[in-house]
Amino acid sequence: MSEGLTAFDIKILEVLQKDASLSTAEIAERVGLSQSPCWRRLQRLREEGYISRQVAILNREKLNNVIFIISTLKMSTLTDEQRREFLRKIDAIPEILECYTIFGDRDVMIKVAAPSMPWYQTFLTDVVLKLPGVLDAQSIVTLAELKHTTAIPLRGNLSL
């Protein structure tokens, strides 16, 4: 059962969001704990699902300067099975990095990593528009990344 987040837990999560490669000793030093209590807190945070996974964030400029494209999709009404199939297919397409349901006249928003605009045009017509229930897509091409973070704010407006 969850004990809730303490000030130390929040500090640990903030440190991990900046650099998950740190050792327990390094994390403990940065948050002001000894190593054993820090390790126990880390274990609890993992067990309770506050930390779902740890990954490496790659430099997209080193990997052919990937273009990010945001597409909003208009969907038809889907049966439960069609919705499951749509989600299975979305999950199986590595170029689709994120997928959300949204409010408004559009139903779904996806974030696509594309190597070029010609590639994206083919991907849109051959893959996205053939997904179950997709009626239409509108795309926004990003020009420059002004801010990118994966860190969730843990202080201030969020009530934990």
Side-chain angles (χ1 to χ4, degrees), residues 55-70:
V55 299
I57 298 172
L58 306 181
N59 181 338
R60 73 179 186 163
E61 291 176 8
K62 296 276 187 186
L63 301 166
N64 298 324
N65 207 14
V66 173
I67 301 165
F68 290 126
I69 299 171
I70 308 298

Side-chain angles (χ1 to χ4, degrees), residues 86-105:
F86 174 80
L87 293 173
R88 276 192 295 272
K89 288 189 176 198
I90 287 285
D91 195 45
I93 302 168
E95 295 84 1
I96 297 177
L97 304 177
E98 299 174 37
C99 181
Y100 304 91
T101 56
I102 57 175
F103 285 118
D105 64 341

Side-chain angles (χ1 to χ4, degrees), residues 16-18 54-60 63 148-151:
L16 282 175
Q17 286 190 110
K18 291 178 185 163
Q54 293 178 226
V55 299
I57 298 172
L58 306 181
N59 181 338
R60 73 179 186 163
L63 301 166
H148 173 81
T149 184
T150 60

Side-chain angles (χ1 to χ4, degrees), residues 10 14 17 147 149-160:
I10 290 171
E14 287 174 337
Q17 286 190 110
K147 179 180 180 179
T149 184
T150 60
I152 295 172
L154 299 174
R155 299 173 194 246
N157 295 332
L158 293 180
S159 57
L160 298 172

Side-chain angles (χ1 to χ4, degrees), residues 27-28 30 44 46 56 64 74 103 105 114 119 122 133 142 146-147 152:
I27 295 168
R30 291 187 188 195
R44 183 178 64 80
R46 287 184 181 104
N64 298 324
K74 182 70 179 162
F103 285 118
D105 64 341
W119 178 92
T122 302
T142 62
L146 303 178
K147 179 180 180 179
I152 295 172

